[in-house]
Each structure stands twice: as C-alpha cells, then as structure tokens.
Amino acid sequence: MNWFIKAFTSTIGRKIVVAFTGLFLCLFLVVHLLGNLQLLANDGGKSFNLYAKFMTTSPIIQTISILNFAFILLHIIQSLILTFYNRRARPVRYAIVENKSTWASRNMAFLGTFVLIFLVGHLAGFWWRMKFGEMPIVGIDGVQVKDLYRVVYEAFSNLGIVVFYVISMGFIAFHLSHGFQSAFQTLGIHHVKYTPLIQTVGWLFSIIIPLAYAIIPIVMYLRNVN
Amino acid sequence: MNFTLKVWRQKNAQSKGEFKTYHVKDISPDMSFLEMFDVLNEELLLKGEDPIAFDHDCREGICGMCSMYINGHPHGPGQTTTCQLHMRMFKDGETIVVEPWRAKPFPVIKDLVVDRSAFDRIIQAGGYISVNTGSAPDANEIPIPKEVAEAAFNAATCIGCGACVAACKNASAMLFVAAKVAHLALLPQGQPERKRRVERMVAQMDAEGFGACTNTGACAAECPKEISLANIALLNREYLAAKLTSEYV
C-alpha cells in the first residue's frame, strides 16, 4: 500500500484529516456568516442578492466550494469510520460509568449526525434551489438576478423552519465547543503558552458564531410578524 | 465497615459471566481495596467456593498490575491504583460494583483478570532504545535540559496499567502509547529509532484493535500516574512528522 494511504487510514491519520477539515469548515462558517449577515441589511435584499450572485458565479468561489464539499465528505467519512472502530473496541459495556469528561466530547458523532441532517435540509432548501431549481427573479440596478433573499425571507416566515434552524445552531455550538480545541490537540499543537488561548478562542467561537447565525432567522421572523 | 459487593464473575475467556453479590463485614477503613478482597476470598475459600481472581503484584502502586473498574472508575474513586485505594474512600454500607477492564484487546481471562499483553506487543514494536553492551556509561554524560528531562521522566512514570484504555469511551490506548513515545522521543538516547518507533508502535496499537482518541480527556483524569494529555499531542506530532519525513515507505 502507498505510504500516504497507509498514513491517513491509521487511527491517528484519520483523526488528523478530521481535525484539518474541521478547522477548514470553521473558517467556512465565518465566511458564510459574513455573507448571511447581509440578510439583516434592511435594503429589500439588494446587497444579499448581489453577494449571492457573486458567490454562485465567481470561478474562484466555485473552486473553493468544490474543495469545501470534498472536505465535508472527508470529515464525515473519516469520522464515521473512526466511530465504527471506537464502538468495536468495546464490545462489552460497563454496568456503571461515571464520566470525567464533557458531554459534548463524548457525543461528537451524535451531534455531527444532527448537523448533517440540518445540512441536507439547508442545501436542499437554499443551495440546490439557487443552483438548479426555480427561482424568483428581481431587477437590481437594471440587472436581472435570482432573488435568493425572497426565498430565505419566505422560509424564515415559517416558525417551524426558524425553530429547527435555531436548534440546529445549538447542536453546532456543542459540536464546536469540543471540536475546535480538539482539532489543535489532534494536529499536535499543545503548548503552555498557546493551549489556554486556543481553549478560550474555542469557547468564544462555539458561542458567538452559532449565536450570530441563529439571530438572523429570529430577526427576520420578527420583522415579518410585525 | 460493612459493604455489599457486586463482582463480575466469569469462569474463563469463553464463558458468559455475570455479577454476583457478596457481603463483607468488619472491614477496617485503613485496609486497601485489595486487602478487602483478600478477606472476602478467605471467606469464600472457607465456604468451599471459588475465590475471585484479580490481578495484583507489588501493592505499592508502582507495578501497574492491579486493575478493577470500581463504581464506574478504573482503580475506583481518586487518581490512584487499586492497591493504594483505601476503604475509607467509601461510605459504610455502600454497594460497590466491581468489573474487569472492558476492551476488545483486553480479553477477560477469569473474573477480574484481563489479558493486557497487547501493551507488551506495542512495546515490542518500538518502545525500546539500542545501546552498546559493556560497562555502564557515566551518569549525566550527555547534557539534557532540566525541563526536557522532567517531561521525559513524567512520561516514563507510566506503569502500563491500562486505566487509560478502561476509562476511554473508545477503549483507546493513546495515552499509554503517547507516554512511551514521548519518554523516548524527548531524550537523546531515543533519537536513532525515533521515527521508526512511533510508526511501528501506532501500527501495532491499531492492529490490536484499540479505538481512536476523541480528546475527551477521561484517560488523563483517571491515570494513577497523572500522565498529561500534552503527551497525546506530542504523539500526534511525532506520528505526522515521521510519516511525512521518514524513509520507511
């Protein structure tokens, strides 16, 4: 077997892949959030729709988006294989277990599965429709663009979708609360000077990012109701 | 002190095994957990019953032989070995549940005794250094910075008891392997086999069927020798560097 394949199919190698792709996805969350915040601009969706047009047509963004999908798949596949190994390593369970670890750290697979369910719904509702589905058209400064803002606006006028979205952000928050700092440990970064900083940033990241995402549908729903 | 014990009894590796309840009376709070088991076994022998098999050797907390998963913790409450666990840590009248280490690479041999030779095979794969035979070298011949010597020594205090595997929800042996790799990778004497060592020990760890690390930290929280999680980061770093730069294809 090729040394590269061998390295990244070992337990540590697989973990390194999960950690690296996980950190990339953290970066993606930030960029995606910056785009989403334009939904709150209160300009009838003008800035958001122009941004959406750029994101779906720019060749650079298209390339990064393929990489992003590949990383999501790698993250899921390697995690699933590791979870399978981990379950197999303890065929007989203990009668009593008292844990000295955080709940999130023990339930990353469960949290990740919920995030995946959210992701499928999210991609089907917005990404797929924007790329391949029927979209309303709006004219901005004489240019006809797909009105993604309207699609999002309609989705977030549905209380069920808003609640599901907010709960999903909660799951992402717990997933990140362990995943962010854990990724650095897996990549071998542990140092008296930097580890406390990584942990603090990890906690802040896992609270601020999902919270900022969750605020968007809530604000849009409330604006719609009023 | 009086206790109710629920102990895992299993005739051999093939049989199914079950919990059996025992009552022990007039136990001194200063007895170690193993001494309490000795008392129970004496009673079982007098009754003509099969005594409970459990691992033990030095009873000084330095050999790593004693095991037992007590009330949901390897080596029971507190970060210690079972031989150094005293009955005063429990409440009078308490029910104590005792199980063997649970991991696929640690099969139960009998009752509370598990086969930990998977650890020996990991050590055989690379947990050694090569030295010339002959007269003993002078002490402190090679200067080693104090912090490095201390970090290596802290890692070297691992007694290979397997509490990390028992505590980990994935039955991962990462803390054990990390301690062994860190100990030798930090010192000049460990350099000749440095890359080969980490590659071979991790390959053996995987082959034995231990789970992967999810950085829950349960292992370090239960380790009787307080081996730090920093060693696991070091292992990950050593492994990646070895895989990317070693000449073993």
Side-chain angles (χ1 to χ4, degrees):
Chain A
M1 219 193 317
N2 180 287
W3 69 269
F4 186 83
I5 308 271
K6 240 194 241 173
F8 291 101
T9 51
S10 68
T11 50
I12 296 184
R14 287 186 198 276
K15 278 155 38 62
I16 288 171
V17 172
V18 174
F20 179 77
T21 52
L23 283 182
F24 181 87
L25 295 175
C26 284
L27 198 65
F28 165 72
L29 279 180
V30 175
V31 177
H32 190 353
L33 175 66
L34 294 177
N36 280 15
L37 285 173
Q38 296 174 74
L39 284 163
L40 302 179
N42 225 352
D43 58 356
K46 186 179 162 185
S47 56
F48 182 74
N49 276 334
L50 286 175
Y51 164 76
K53 184 175 165 26
F54 167 74
M55 292 303 272
T56 43
T57 51
S58 156
I60 297 168
I61 301 293
Q62 292 309 291
T63 315
I64 296 173
S65 124
I66 291 167
L67 194 70
N68 196 39
F69 274 112
F71 278 5
I72 291 173
L73 279 178
L74 266 177
H75 191 81
I76 295 168
I77 292 166
Q78 294 284 42
S79 306
L80 282 177
I81 294 171
L82 285 172
T83 307
F84 169 72
Y85 286 164
N86 296 345
R87 298 268 160 94
R88 199 180 52 178
R90 178 158 294 141
V92 184
R93 311 235 136 230
Y94 290 112
I96 295 182
V97 178
E98 279 185 17
N99 290 301
K100 284 189 179 174
S101 52
T102 61
W103 180 82
S105 74
R106 294 192 305 274
N107 291 283
M108 289 300 274
F110 161 69
L111 291 165
T113 307
F114 195 93
V115 173
L116 178 63
I117 293 169
F118 164 77
L119 195 64
V120 170
H122 186 69
L123 288 174
F126 299 132
W127 179 83
W128 181 268
R129 201 170 157 195
M130 181 73 181
K131 279 272 194 188
F132 310 107
E134 292 260 315
M135 290 287 291
I137 301 293
V138 68
I140 298 174
D141 302 332
V143 186
Q144 301 286 87
V145 297
K146 292 180 180 178
D147 194 358
L148 185 62
Y149 177 81
R150 174 128 300 269
V151 174
V152 175
Y153 180 85
E154 278 166 11
F156 287 159
S157 62
N158 179 330
L159 186 62
I161 292 178
V162 174
V163 170
F164 176 66
Y165 193 99
V166 172
I167 290 173
S168 300
M169 290 310 115
F171 277 83
I172 289 183
F174 277 103
H175 197 71
L176 288 172
S177 75
H178 177 68
F180 187 92
Q181 45 170 308
S182 176
F184 286 92
Q185 166 85 358
T186 299
L187 293 173
I189 300 164
H190 190 109
H191 195 276
V192 277
K193 284 181 184 161
Y194 306 112
T195 298
L197 182 72
I198 290 167
Q199 281 171 346
T200 311
V201 171
W203 280 112
L204 291 176
F205 190 89
S206 66
I207 295 166
I208 293 169
I209 300 288
L211 193 66
Y213 270 105
I215 282 171
I216 297 166
I218 294 171
V219 169
M220 287 181 82
Y221 180 78
L222 292 178
R223 274 188 194 164
N224 196 14
V225 170
N226 296 332
Chain B
M1 299 175 92
N2 302 323
F3 299 101
T4 302
L5 298 171
K6 282 189 175 171
V7 184
W8 185 260
R9 299 302 309 261
Q10 186 172 334
K11 232 184 201 105
N12 52 46
Q14 285 75 40
S15 63
K16 216 168 158 276
E18 58 178 349
F19 281 105
K20 278 207 168 163
T21 307
Y22 301 94
H23 298 279
V24 284
K25 290 189 179 71
D26 303 323
I27 296 294
S28 156
D30 298 327
M31 268 185 191
S32 80
F33 202 81
L34 297 186
E35 284 163 344
M36 184 269 293
F37 258 70
D38 292 338
V39 171
L40 173 61
N41 273 346
E42 295 265 341
E43 285 172 17
L44 291 178
L45 277 170
L46 286 176
K47 278 193 244 169
E49 287 179 37
D50 193 22
I52 301 162
F54 62 90
D55 268 325
H56 63 105
D57 192 8
C58 74
R59 300 210 177 191
E60 292 179 345
I62 54 172
C63 77
M65 202 58 211
C66 54
S67 52
M68 297 196 191
Y69 196 84
I70 303 157
N71 279 354
H73 298 279
H75 300 300
Q79 258 181 293
T80 180
T81 54
T82 309
C83 61
Q84 297 299 307
L85 174 69
H86 294 95
M87 298 317 294
R88 55 180 172 267
M89 292 288 284
F90 298 89
K91 284 193 242 36
D92 191 22
E94 193 175 342
T95 299
I96 305 171
V97 180
V98 189
E99 303 172 69
W101 280 183
R102 296 286 190 200
K104 192 160 165 274
F106 287 170
V108 174
I109 299 170
K110 189 182 181 195
D111 299 337
L112 302 171
V113 178
V114 297
D115 179 1
R116 282 170 281 183
S117 47
F119 270 13
D120 300 338
R121 289 188 292 272
I122 293 174
I123 293 292
Q124 282 159 15
Y128 52 80
I129 57 163
S130 300
V131 286
N132 293 323
T133 53
S135 56
D138 286 339
N140 302 321
E141 197 178 15
I142 310 164
I144 301 166
K146 188 169 181 288
E147 312 81 68
V148 176
E150 279 182 354
F153 186 77
N154 282 343
T157 57
C158 166
I159 51 178
C161 63
C164 45
V165 175
C168 176
K169 77 172 186 72
N170 308 329
S172 171
M174 283 284 280
L175 194 66
F176 167 74
V177 178
K180 299 303 171 193
V181 165
H183 162 212
L184 298 177
L186 288 167
L187 297 174
Q189 292 87 342
Q191 298 314 304
E193 294 100 347
R194 185 172 176 178
K195 290 175 185 175
R196 194 81 180 125
R197 173 183 307 117
V198 66
E199 287 190 296
R200 292 185 59 167
M201 288 179 81
V202 170
Q204 189 62 37
M205 173 183 89
D206 287 355
E208 296 290 348
F210 290 104
C213 175
T214 32
N215 301 327
T216 66
C219 52
E222 299 282 12
C223 174
K225 296 294 158 186
E226 299 175 19
I227 304 292
S228 153
L229 281 182
N231 290 303
I232 293 185
L234 187 144
L235 170 63
N236 292 332
R237 199 157 67 225
E238 286 287 316
Y239 183 76
L240 186 60
K243 278 290 170 193
L244 294 179
T245 64
S246 82
E247 302 201 346
Y248 312 107
V249 180

